Amino acid sequence: MKQQLETIRQSALAAIERTAQLKELDDLRVRYLGKKGELTALLKQMGGLSPEERPVIGQLANEVREALANAIAVQSKRLEEAALNARLASETLDVTIPGKKPQLGHKHPMSIVLDELKDVFLGMGFQIAEGPEIEMASYNFTKLNTEEGHPARDWQDTFYLREDSSLLLRTQTSPMQVRVMENQKPPIRIIAPGRVYRKDEVDATHSPMFHQIEGLVVDKGITMADLKGTLDSVLKALYGPNTVTRFRPHHFPFTEPSCEVDVQCHACGGVGCRVCKGEGWIEVLGAGMVHPKVLEGCGIDTEVYSGWAFGAGVERLVLRRFSIADLRLIFENDIRFLNQF
Ligand code: DAH
């Protein structure tokens, strides 16, 4: 029996040392030390020993058991360490490998010009107002002195959202004048940029959706001189200090008097060329003194207050600013076009 115990010790220790995985090691533990293991089976035969042999063999058996248990613990630790090291090695980060450069975007030409405009106006004490693109006809037209039956309200030109023509996609940012005046007492200095909609076919100069920027000033003693001075400064800020402006009489229902503002052609200096279609001037916006009917409709006393307003198409300003020939480029988002800004 002593011999058998020694054999178990030798072969078990050798087997334990040879294991390469924790699972194998555990199998060995069961095989030698488990309830149905080899060592246990051997000890069960101790009943057949003589009283002299029994303590000797018993002690040896305990020694063997302890030796195996120790060897298993040591090997287990070794295997765990090896597994950890292998995992660390496989998950190593090489911080010296060059990174992937993220592609940085930049502002769309529309945002470039819009941000410049906002900067200029904010610097002059204006605030920015925003309002709905789905608008009531009363705000888009009636309160702007554009009664029912006016050609501007034609179904042909306007996206109406109801049979009774009461709701629509705003055709201009001018309803923001009314919304601001109804909610705010003078002095008022606001700009209102935003999307507007008209039933136009897409071509090089038209789009059914485009952007306008509205401006409104209401205060005591406001005159046409304020309108001219402010718009002249703004256009010089946008197009350069040598920009020449021209204020030409026009008609809008919600201003009196009304004007259109032109900028002298940068390409020919006013002589007339292809860029300005021979005119020497390029129209950039509409403006005027706010009509007394519009002011009074918003509860503003025209004996005390007066105001001026303007509305400009933002796309047109952008095309001119960057000498872009086709409006569609603004909306197509072709990366080859956008990368140039
Ligand atoms: N809303 C006009 C348009 O879409 C532009 C305009 C003209 C706005 C004169 C104004 C203004 O505020 O005073 O054609």
PDB file of all heavy atoms in Angstrom, residues 228-264:
ATOM      1  N   LYS A 228     -31.665 104.257 -44.911  1.00  0.00           N
ATOM      2  CA  LYS A 228     -30.558 104.337 -45.879  1.00  0.00           C
ATOM      3  C   LYS A 228     -29.211 104.133 -45.200  1.00  0.00           C
ATOM      4  O   LYS A 228     -28.368 103.364 -45.675  1.00  0.00           O
ATOM      5  CB  LYS A 228     -30.572 105.703 -46.590  1.00  0.00           C
ATOM      6  CG  LYS A 228     -31.674 105.847 -47.607  1.00  0.00           C
ATOM      7  CD  LYS A 228     -31.499 107.108 -48.440  1.00  0.00           C
ATOM      8  CE  LYS A 228     -30.351 106.986 -49.420  1.00  0.00           C
ATOM      9  NZ  LYS A 228     -30.285 108.155 -50.340  1.00  0.00           N
ATOM     10  N   GLY A 229     -29.012 104.804 -44.077  1.00  0.00           N
ATOM     11  CA  GLY A 229     -27.724 104.728 -43.383  1.00  0.00           C
ATOM     12  C   GLY A 229     -27.420 103.305 -42.925  1.00  0.00           C
ATOM     13  O   GLY A 229     -26.308 102.787 -43.124  1.00  0.00           O
ATOM     14  N   THR A 230     -28.445 102.659 -42.347  1.00  0.00           N
ATOM     15  CA  THR A 230     -28.219 101.312 -41.817  1.00  0.00           C
ATOM     16  C   THR A 230     -27.944 100.318 -42.942  1.00  0.00           C
ATOM     17  O   THR A 230     -26.968  99.561 -42.898  1.00  0.00           O
ATOM     18  CB  THR A 230     -29.448 100.843 -41.004  1.00  0.00           C
ATOM     19  OG1 THR A 230     -29.778 101.840 -40.046  1.00  0.00           O
ATOM     20  CG2 THR A 230     -29.149  99.529 -40.303  1.00  0.00           C
ATOM     21  N   LEU A 231     -28.805 100.344 -43.973  1.00  0.00           N
ATOM     22  CA  LEU A 231     -28.635  99.356 -45.052  1.00  0.00           C
ATOM     23  C   LEU A 231     -27.335  99.590 -45.813  1.00  0.00           C
ATOM     24  O   LEU A 231     -26.667  98.645 -46.224  1.00  0.00           O
ATOM     25  CB  LEU A 231     -29.850  99.401 -45.995  1.00  0.00           C
ATOM     26  CG  LEU A 231     -31.136  98.841 -45.365  1.00  0.00           C
ATOM     27  CD1 LEU A 231     -32.308  98.943 -46.341  1.00  0.00           C
ATOM     28  CD2 LEU A 231     -30.949  97.381 -44.925  1.00  0.00           C
ATOM     29  N   ASP A 232     -26.948 100.844 -45.977  1.00  0.00           N
ATOM     30  CA  ASP A 232     -25.682 101.144 -46.655  1.00  0.00           C
ATOM     31  C   ASP A 232     -24.511 100.544 -45.845  1.00  0.00           C
ATOM     32  O   ASP A 232     -23.615  99.921 -46.420  1.00  0.00           O
ATOM     33  CB  ASP A 232     -25.518 102.665 -46.802  1.00  0.00           C
ATOM     34  CG  ASP A 232     -24.317 103.016 -47.660  1.00  0.00           C
ATOM     35  OD1 ASP A 232     -24.375 102.753 -48.880  1.00  0.00           O
ATOM     36  OD2 ASP A 232     -23.314 103.522 -47.112  1.00  0.00           O
ATOM     37  N   SER A 233     -24.544 100.717 -44.527  1.00  0.00           N
ATOM     38  CA  SER A 233     -23.474 100.154 -43.686  1.00  0.00           C
ATOM     39  C   SER A 233     -23.440  98.636 -43.769  1.00  0.00           C
ATOM     40  O   SER A 233     -22.369  98.029 -43.845  1.00  0.00           O
ATOM     41  CB  SER A 233     -23.674 100.531 -42.214  1.00  0.00           C
ATOM     42  OG  SER A 233     -23.820 101.899 -42.087  1.00  0.00           O
ATOM     43  N   VAL A 234     -24.636  98.044 -43.730  1.00  0.00           N
ATOM     44  CA  VAL A 234     -24.700  96.586 -43.752  1.00  0.00           C
ATOM     45  C   VAL A 234     -24.126  96.056 -45.062  1.00  0.00           C
ATOM     46  O   VAL A 234     -23.324  95.099 -45.073  1.00  0.00           O
ATOM     47  CB  VAL A 234     -26.156  96.104 -43.584  1.00  0.00           C
ATOM     48  CG1 VAL A 234     -26.267  94.609 -43.869  1.00  0.00           C
ATOM     49  CG2 VAL A 234     -26.657  96.425 -42.189  1.00  0.00           C
ATOM     50  N   LEU A 235     -24.502  96.660 -46.178  1.00  0.00           N
ATOM     51  CA  LEU A 235     -24.026  96.174 -47.476  1.00  0.00           C
ATOM     52  C   LEU A 235     -22.523  96.401 -47.635  1.00  0.00           C
ATOM     53  O   LEU A 235     -21.828  95.592 -48.239  1.00  0.00           O
ATOM     54  CB  LEU A 235     -24.827  96.827 -48.607  1.00  0.00           C
ATOM     55  CG  LEU A 235     -26.296  96.351 -48.645  1.00  0.00           C
ATOM     56  CD1 LEU A 235     -27.146  97.198 -49.572  1.00  0.00           C
ATOM     57  CD2 LEU A 235     -26.379  94.871 -49.039  1.00  0.00           C
ATOM     58  N   LYS A 236     -22.016  97.477 -47.045  1.00  0.00           N
ATOM     59  CA  LYS A 236     -20.559  97.714 -47.079  1.00  0.00           C
ATOM     60  C   LYS A 236     -19.836  96.663 -46.224  1.00  0.00           C
ATOM     61  O   LYS A 236     -18.755  96.191 -46.590  1.00  0.00           O
ATOM     62  CB  LYS A 236     -20.231  99.117 -46.583  1.00  0.00           C
ATOM     63  CG  LYS A 236     -20.485 100.199 -47.630  1.00  0.00           C
ATOM     64  CD  LYS A 236     -19.917 101.542 -47.167  1.00  0.00           C
ATOM     65  CE  LYS A 236     -19.824 102.557 -48.302  1.00  0.00           C
ATOM     66  NZ  LYS A 236     -21.115 103.108 -48.715  1.00  0.00           N
ATOM     67  N   ALA A 237     -20.444  96.298 -45.094  1.00  0.00           N
ATOM     68  CA  ALA A 237     -19.837  95.275 -44.234  1.00  0.00           C
ATOM     69  C   ALA A 237     -19.794  93.938 -44.973  1.00  0.00           C
ATOM     70  O   ALA A 237     -18.849  93.162 -44.830  1.00  0.00           O
ATOM     71  CB  ALA A 237     -20.618  95.147 -42.929  1.00  0.00           C
ATOM     72  N   LEU A 238     -20.840  93.674 -45.756  1.00  0.00           N
ATOM     73  CA  LEU A 238     -20.953  92.383 -46.428  1.00  0.00           C
ATOM     74  C   LEU A 238     -20.086  92.323 -47.686  1.00  0.00           C
ATOM     75  O   LEU A 238     -19.447  91.311 -47.965  1.00  0.00           O
ATOM     76  CB  LEU A 238     -22.427  92.163 -46.794  1.00  0.00           C
ATOM     77  CG  LEU A 238     -22.862  90.739 -47.098  1.00  0.00           C
ATOM     78  CD1 LEU A 238     -22.619  89.839 -45.902  1.00  0.00           C
ATOM     79  CD2 LEU A 238     -24.350  90.722 -47.471  1.00  0.00           C
ATOM     80  N   TYR A 239     -20.048  93.411 -48.453  1.00  0.00           N
ATOM     81  CA  TYR A 239     -19.393  93.381 -49.765  1.00  0.00           C
ATOM     82  C   TYR A 239     -18.118  94.220 -49.849  1.00  0.00           C
ATOM     83  O   TYR A 239     -17.508  94.328 -50.901  1.00  0.00           O
ATOM     84  CB  TYR A 239     -20.369  93.867 -50.846  1.00  0.00           C
ATOM     85  CG  TYR A 239     -21.531  92.918 -51.050  1.00  0.00           C
ATOM     86  CD1 TYR A 239     -22.841  93.370 -50.987  1.00  0.00           C
ATOM     87  CD2 TYR A 239     -21.301  91.569 -51.315  1.00  0.00           C
ATOM     88  CE1 TYR A 239     -23.903  92.502 -51.186  1.00  0.00           C
ATOM     89  CE2 TYR A 239     -22.355  90.696 -51.510  1.00  0.00           C
ATOM     90  CZ  TYR A 239     -23.649  91.166 -51.441  1.00  0.00           C
ATOM     91  OH  TYR A 239     -24.693  90.309 -51.633  1.00  0.00           O
ATOM     92  N   GLY A 240     -17.741  94.854 -48.760  1.00  0.00           N
ATOM     93  CA  GLY A 240     -16.506  95.646 -48.785  1.00  0.00           C
ATOM     94  C   GLY A 240     -16.796  97.139 -48.720  1.00  0.00           C
ATOM     95  O   GLY A 240     -17.861  97.592 -49.154  1.00  0.00           O
ATOM     96  N   PRO A 241     -15.832  97.932 -48.195  1.00  0.00           N
ATOM     97  CA  PRO A 241     -16.055  99.355 -47.905  1.00  0.00           C
ATOM     98  C   PRO A 241     -16.288 100.220 -49.158  1.00  0.00           C
ATOM     99  O   PRO A 241     -16.827 101.317 -49.037  1.00  0.00           O
ATOM    100  CB  PRO A 241     -14.770  99.778 -47.182  1.00  0.00           C
ATOM    101  CG  PRO A 241     -13.766  98.729 -47.523  1.00  0.00           C
ATOM    102  CD  PRO A 241     -14.505  97.458 -47.772  1.00  0.00           C
ATOM    103  N   ASN A 242     -15.894  99.708 -50.322  1.00  0.00           N
ATOM    104  CA  ASN A 242     -16.074 100.531 -51.521  1.00  0.00           C
ATOM    105  C   ASN A 242     -17.399 100.286 -52.230  1.00  0.00           C
ATOM    106  O   ASN A 242     -17.624 100.789 -53.331  1.00  0.00           O
ATOM    107  CB  ASN A 242     -14.925 100.281 -52.512  1.00  0.00           C
ATOM    108  CG  ASN A 242     -13.583 100.674 -51.904  1.00  0.00           C
ATOM    109  OD1 ASN A 242     -13.507 101.647 -51.142  1.00  0.00           O
ATOM    110  ND2 ASN A 242     -12.540  99.900 -52.201  1.00  0.00           N
ATOM    111  N   THR A 243     -18.261  99.496 -51.590  1.00  0.00           N
ATOM    112  CA  THR A 243     -19.543  99.159 -52.203  1.00  0.00           C
ATOM    113  C   THR A 243     -20.406 100.415 -52.396  1.00  0.00           C
ATOM    114  O   THR A 243     -20.529 101.247 -51.498  1.00  0.00           O
ATOM    115  CB  THR A 243     -20.294  98.159 -51.300  1.00  0.00           C
ATOM    116  OG1 THR A 243     -19.441  97.030 -51.089  1.00  0.00           O
ATOM    117  CG2 THR A 243     -21.599  97.717 -51.934  1.00  0.00           C
ATOM    118  N   VAL A 244     -20.982 100.528 -53.601  1.00  0.00           N
ATOM    119  CA  VAL A 244     -21.868 101.668 -53.889  1.00  0.00           C
ATOM    120  C   VAL A 244     -23.312 101.177 -53.913  1.00  0.00           C
ATOM    121  O   VAL A 244     -23.624 100.186 -54.574  1.00  0.00           O
ATOM    122  CB  VAL A 244     -21.515 102.306 -55.252  1.00  0.00           C
ATOM    123  CG1 VAL A 244     -22.374 103.536 -55.509  1.00  0.00           C
ATOM    124  CG2 VAL A 244     -20.033 102.656 -55.302  1.00  0.00           C
ATOM    125  N   THR A 245     -24.182 101.845 -53.153  1.00  0.00           N
ATOM    126  CA  THR A 245     -25.588 101.419 -53.106  1.00  0.00           C
ATOM    127  C   THR A 245     -26.488 102.447 -53.787  1.00  0.00           C
ATOM    128  O   THR A 245     -26.130 103.616 -53.926  1.00  0.00           O
ATOM    129  CB  THR A 245     -26.051 101.264 -51.643  1.00  0.00           C
ATOM    130  OG1 THR A 245     -25.807 102.484 -50.946  1.00  0.00           O
ATOM    131  CG2 THR A 245     -25.307 100.138 -50.945  1.00  0.00           C
ATOM    132  N   ARG A 246     -27.666 101.948 -54.204  1.00  0.00           N
ATOM    133  CA  ARG A 246     -28.641 102.846 -54.849  1.00  0.00           C
ATOM    134  C   ARG A 246     -30.029 102.503 -54.338  1.00  0.00           C
ATOM    135  O   ARG A 246     -30.397 101.324 -54.275  1.00  0.00           O
ATOM    136  CB  ARG A 246     -28.579 102.650 -56.375  1.00  0.00           C
ATOM    137  CG  ARG A 246     -29.591 103.473 -57.134  1.00  0.00           C
ATOM    138  CD  ARG A 246     -29.375 103.363 -58.614  1.00  0.00           C
ATOM    139  NE  ARG A 246     -29.948 102.128 -59.171  1.00  0.00           N
ATOM    140  CZ  ARG A 246     -30.007 101.858 -60.468  1.00  0.00           C
ATOM    141  NH1 ARG A 246     -29.498 102.697 -61.353  1.00  0.00           N
ATOM    142  NH2 ARG A 246     -30.547 100.721 -60.891  1.00  0.00           N
ATOM    143  N   PHE A 247     -30.779 103.511 -53.927  1.00  0.00           N
ATOM    144  CA  PHE A 247     -32.134 103.307 -53.412  1.00  0.00           C
ATOM    145  C   PHE A 247     -33.117 103.787 -54.469  1.00  0.00           C
ATOM    146  O   PHE A 247     -33.120 104.949 -54.836  1.00  0.00           O
ATOM    147  CB  PHE A 247     -32.311 104.059 -52.090  1.00  0.00           C
ATOM    148  CG  PHE A 247     -31.445 103.489 -50.999  1.00  0.00           C
ATOM    149  CD1 PHE A 247     -30.063 103.707 -50.988  1.00  0.00           C
ATOM    150  CD2 PHE A 247     -31.988 102.720 -49.995  1.00  0.00           C
ATOM    151  CE1 PHE A 247     -29.256 103.171 -49.997  1.00  0.00           C
ATOM    152  CE2 PHE A 247     -31.190 102.177 -48.988  1.00  0.00           C
ATOM    153  CZ  PHE A 247     -29.822 102.397 -48.992  1.00  0.00           C
ATOM    154  N   ARG A 248     -33.939 102.874 -54.964  1.00  0.00           N
ATOM    155  CA  ARG A 248     -34.800 103.123 -56.123  1.00  0.00           C
ATOM    156  C   ARG A 248     -36.256 102.953 -55.698  1.00  0.00           C
ATOM    157  O   ARG A 248     -36.586 101.990 -55.006  1.00  0.00           O
ATOM    158  CB  ARG A 248     -34.406 102.074 -57.176  1.00  0.00           C
ATOM    159  CG  ARG A 248     -35.054 102.105 -58.490  1.00  0.00           C
ATOM    160  CD  ARG A 248     -34.286 101.189 -59.475  1.00  0.00           C
ATOM    161  NE  ARG A 248     -33.792  99.926 -58.899  1.00  0.00           N
ATOM    162  CZ  ARG A 248     -34.568  98.886 -58.637  1.00  0.00           C
ATOM    163  NH1 ARG A 248     -35.857  98.931 -58.860  1.00  0.00           N
ATOM    164  NH2 ARG A 248     -34.036  97.776 -58.129  1.00  0.00           N
ATOM    165  N   PRO A 249     -37.149 103.899 -56.058  1.00  0.00           N
ATOM    166  CA  PRO A 249     -38.546 103.791 -55.652  1.00  0.00           C
ATOM    167  C   PRO A 249     -39.193 102.488 -56.129  1.00  0.00           C
ATOM    168  O   PRO A 249     -38.860 101.997 -57.217  1.00  0.00           O
ATOM    169  CB  PRO A 249     -39.218 104.995 -56.328  1.00  0.00           C
ATOM    170  CG  PRO A 249     -38.123 105.910 -56.674  1.00  0.00           C
ATOM    171  CD  PRO A 249     -36.888 105.078 -56.868  1.00  0.00           C
ATOM    172  N   HIS A 250     -40.077 101.945 -55.315  1.00  0.00           N
ATOM    173  CA  HIS A 250     -40.733 100.694 -55.670  1.00  0.00           C
ATOM    174  C   HIS A 250     -42.081 100.659 -54.965  1.00  0.00           C
ATOM    175  O   HIS A 250     -42.488 101.654 -54.353  1.00  0.00           O
ATOM    176  CB  HIS A 250     -39.855  99.514 -55.226  1.00  0.00           C
ATOM    177  CG  HIS A 250     -40.192  98.222 -55.917  1.00  0.00           C
ATOM    178  ND1 HIS A 250     -39.887  97.983 -57.236  1.00  0.00           N
ATOM    179  CD2 HIS A 250     -40.813  97.105 -55.470  1.00  0.00           C
ATOM    180  CE1 HIS A 250     -40.302  96.768 -57.563  1.00  0.00           C
ATOM    181  NE2 HIS A 250     -40.872  96.216 -56.496  1.00  0.00           N
ATOM    182  N   HIS A 251     -42.785  99.534 -55.040  1.00  0.00           N
ATOM    183  CA  HIS A 251     -44.033  99.416 -54.277  1.00  0.00           C
ATOM    184  C   HIS A 251     -44.093  98.106 -53.511  1.00  0.00           C
ATOM    185  O   HIS A 251     -43.865  97.044 -54.067  1.00  0.00           O
ATOM    186  CB  HIS A 251     -45.257  99.489 -55.189  1.00  0.00           C
ATOM    187  CG  HIS A 251     -46.515  99.121 -54.464  1.00  0.00           C
ATOM    188  ND1 HIS A 251     -47.172  99.998 -53.619  1.00  0.00           N
ATOM    189  CD2 HIS A 251     -47.212  97.952 -54.394  1.00  0.00           C
ATOM    190  CE1 HIS A 251     -48.211  99.385 -53.085  1.00  0.00           C
ATOM    191  NE2 HIS A 251     -48.269  98.145 -53.537  1.00  0.00           N
ATOM    192  N   PHE A 252     -44.381  98.197 -52.210  1.00  0.00           N
ATOM    193  CA  PHE A 252     -44.780  97.031 -51.417  1.00  0.00           C
ATOM    194  C   PHE A 252     -46.018  97.452 -50.628  1.00  0.00           C
ATOM    195  O   PHE A 252     -46.114  98.619 -50.220  1.00  0.00           O
ATOM    196  CB  PHE A 252     -43.662  96.603 -50.444  1.00  0.00           C
ATOM    197  CG  PHE A 252     -42.408  96.141 -51.137  1.00  0.00           C
ATOM    198  CD1 PHE A 252     -41.293  96.972 -51.188  1.00  0.00           C
ATOM    199  CD2 PHE A 252     -42.341  94.893 -51.735  1.00  0.00           C
ATOM    200  CE1 PHE A 252     -40.130  96.548 -51.832  1.00  0.00           C
ATOM    201  CE2 PHE A 252     -41.181  94.467 -52.373  1.00  0.00           C
ATOM    202  CZ  PHE A 252     -40.087  95.290 -52.430  1.00  0.00           C
ATOM    203  N   PRO A 253     -46.967  96.543 -50.429  1.00  0.00           N
ATOM    204  CA  PRO A 253     -48.206  96.936 -49.746  1.00  0.00           C
ATOM    205  C   PRO A 253     -47.978  97.394 -48.314  1.00  0.00           C
ATOM    206  O   PRO A 253     -48.724  98.218 -47.805  1.00  0.00           O
ATOM    207  CB  PRO A 253     -49.047  95.643 -49.763  1.00  0.00           C
ATOM    208  CG  PRO A 253     -48.397  94.731 -50.742  1.00  0.00           C
ATOM    209  CD  PRO A 253     -46.962  95.132 -50.823  1.00  0.00           C
ATOM    210  N   PHE A 254     -46.930  96.856 -47.660  1.00  0.00           N
ATOM    211  CA  PHE A 254     -46.766  97.098 -46.221  1.00  0.00           C
ATOM    212  C   PHE A 254     -45.756  98.188 -45.895  1.00  0.00           C
ATOM    213  O   PHE A 254     -45.402  98.387 -44.741  1.00  0.00           O
ATOM    214  CB  PHE A 254     -46.394  95.785 -45.511  1.00  0.00           C
ATOM    215  CG  PHE A 254     -45.477  94.909 -46.323  1.00  0.00           C
ATOM    216  CD1 PHE A 254     -44.106  95.059 -46.253  1.00  0.00           C
ATOM    217  CD2 PHE A 254     -46.004  93.949 -47.176  1.00  0.00           C
ATOM    218  CE1 PHE A 254     -43.270  94.265 -47.015  1.00  0.00           C
ATOM    219  CE2 PHE A 254     -45.169  93.143 -47.936  1.00  0.00           C
ATOM    220  CZ  PHE A 254     -43.797  93.297 -47.864  1.00  0.00           C
ATOM    221  N   THR A 255     -45.253  98.874 -46.914  1.00  0.00           N
ATOM    222  CA  THR A 255     -44.366 100.022 -46.655  1.00  0.00           C
ATOM    223  C   THR A 255     -44.802 101.216 -47.503  1.00  0.00           C
ATOM    224  O   THR A 255     -45.356 101.065 -48.586  1.00  0.00           O
ATOM    225  CB  THR A 255     -42.893  99.694 -47.007  1.00  0.00           C
ATOM    226  OG1 THR A 255     -42.856  98.977 -48.242  1.00  0.00           O
ATOM    227  CG2 THR A 255     -42.244  98.866 -45.924  1.00  0.00           C
ATOM    228  N   GLU A 256     -44.545 102.418 -46.984  1.00  0.00           N
ATOM    229  CA  GLU A 256     -44.864 103.647 -47.702  1.00  0.00           C
ATOM    230  C   GLU A 256     -44.019 104.785 -47.163  1.00  0.00           C
ATOM    231  O   GLU A 256     -44.197 105.161 -46.014  1.00  0.00           O
ATOM    232  CB  GLU A 256     -46.356 103.958 -47.572  1.00  0.00           C
ATOM    233  CG  GLU A 256     -46.805 105.193 -48.304  1.00  0.00           C
ATOM    234  CD  GLU A 256     -46.486 105.158 -49.797  1.00  0.00           C
ATOM    235  OE1 GLU A 256     -46.602 104.073 -50.411  1.00  0.00           O
ATOM    236  OE2 GLU A 256     -46.090 106.202 -50.334  1.00  0.00           O
ATOM    237  N   PRO A 257     -43.093 105.342 -47.916  1.00  0.00           N
ATOM    238  CA  PRO A 257     -42.718 104.880 -49.254  1.00  0.00           C
ATOM    239  C   PRO A 257     -41.915 103.580 -49.220  1.00  0.00           C
ATOM    240  O   PRO A 257     -41.398 103.196 -48.183  1.00  0.00           O
ATOM    241  CB  PRO A 257     -41.842 106.036 -49.769  1.00  0.00           C
ATOM    242  CG  PRO A 257     -41.280 106.657 -48.532  1.00  0.00           C
ATOM    243  CD  PRO A 257     -42.337 106.525 -47.487  1.00  0.00           C
ATOM    244  N   SER A 258     -41.834 102.949 -50.408  1.00  0.00           N
ATOM    245  CA  SER A 258     -41.082 101.700 -50.542  1.00  0.00           C
ATOM    246  C   SER A 258     -39.919 101.906 -51.501  1.00  0.00           C
ATOM    247  O   SER A 258     -39.946 102.812 -52.344  1.00  0.00           O
ATOM    248  CB  SER A 258     -41.977 100.602 -51.110  1.00  0.00           C
ATOM    249  OG  SER A 258     -43.166 100.466 -50.369  1.00  0.00           O
ATOM    250  N   CYS A 259     -38.917 101.058 -51.364  1.00  0.00           N
ATOM    251  CA  CYS A 259     -37.804 101.138 -52.306  1.00  0.00           C
ATOM    252  C   CYS A 259     -37.183  99.763 -52.532  1.00  0.00           C
ATOM    253  O   CYS A 259     -37.416  98.846 -51.752  1.00  0.00           O
ATOM    254  CB  CYS A 259     -36.730 102.099 -51.796  1.00  0.00           C
ATOM    255  SG  CYS A 259     -35.987 101.583 -50.250  1.00  0.00           S
ATOM    256  N   GLU A 260     -36.451  99.678 -53.619  1.00  0.00           N
ATOM    257  CA  GLU A 260     -35.577  98.519 -53.787  1.00  0.00           C
ATOM    258  C   GLU A 260     -34.148  99.043 -53.706  1.00  0.00           C
ATOM    259  O   GLU A 260     -33.874 100.175 -54.103  1.00  0.00           O
ATOM    260  CB  GLU A 260     -35.840  97.817 -55.117  1.00  0.00           C
ATOM    261  CG  GLU A 260     -37.029  96.867 -55.021  1.00  0.00           C
ATOM    262  CD  GLU A 260     -37.177  95.945 -56.221  1.00  0.00           C
ATOM    263  OE1 GLU A 260     -36.744  96.305 -57.318  1.00  0.00           O
ATOM    264  OE2 GLU A 260     -37.733  94.853 -56.028  1.00  0.00           O
ATOM    265  N   VAL A 261     -33.265  98.206 -53.186  1.00  0.00           N
ATOM    266  CA  VAL A 261     -31.880  98.635 -53.021  1.00  0.00           C
ATOM    267  C   VAL A 261     -30.988  97.826 -53.959  1.00  0.00           C
ATOM    268  O   VAL A 261     -31.069  96.601 -54.009  1.00  0.00           O
ATOM    269  CB  VAL A 261     -31.412  98.462 -51.559  1.00  0.00           C
ATOM    270  CG1 VAL A 261     -29.985  98.954 -51.393  1.00  0.00           C
ATOM    271  CG2 VAL A 261     -32.354  99.196 -50.616  1.00  0.00           C
ATOM    272  N   ASP A 262     -30.170  98.559 -54.714  1.00  0.00           N
ATOM    273  CA  ASP A 262     -29.236  97.933 -55.638  1.00  0.00           C
ATOM    274  C   ASP A 262     -27.815  98.152 -55.151  1.00  0.00           C
ATOM    275  O   ASP A 262     -27.530  99.137 -54.471  1.00  0.00           O
ATOM    276  CB  ASP A 262     -29.350  98.563 -57.035  1.00  0.00           C
ATOM    277  CG  ASP A 262     -30.755  98.460 -57.601  1.00  0.00           C
ATOM    278  OD1 ASP A 262     -31.464  97.507 -57.242  1.00  0.00           O
ATOM    279  OD2 ASP A 262     -31.144  99.350 -58.389  1.00  0.00           O
ATOM    280  N   VAL A 263     -26.951  97.244 -55.565  1.00  0.00           N
ATOM    281  CA  VAL A 263     -25.518  97.402 -55.314  1.00  0.00           C
ATOM    282  C   VAL A 263     -24.847  97.527 -56.676  1.00  0.00           C
ATOM    283  O   VAL A 263     -25.167  96.780 -57.602  1.00  0.00           O
ATOM    284  CB  VAL A 263     -24.967  96.184 -54.544  1.00  0.00           C
ATOM    285  CG1 VAL A 263     -23.459  96.183 -54.523  1.00  0.00           C
ATOM    286  CG2 VAL A 263     -25.512  96.170 -53.121  1.00  0.00           C
ATOM    287  N   GLN A 264     -23.943  98.478 -56.786  1.00  0.00           N
ATOM    288  CA  GLN A 264     -23.262  98.656 -58.068  1.00  0.00           C
ATOM    289  C   GLN A 264     -22.460  97.399 -58.413  1.00  0.00           C
ATOM    290  O   GLN A 264     -21.811  96.815 -57.541  1.00  0.00           O
ATOM    291  CB  GLN A 264     -22.320  99.857 -58.007  1.00  0.00           C
ATOM    292  CG  GLN A 264     -21.872 100.305 -59.392  1.00  0.00           C
ATOM    293  CD  GLN A 264     -21.134 101.653 -59.315  1.00  0.00           C
ATOM    294  OE1 GLN A 264     -20.028 101.727 -58.803  1.00  0.00           O
ATOM    295  NE2 GLN A 264     -21.778 102.698 -59.806  1.00  0.00           N
TER     296      GLN A 264
END
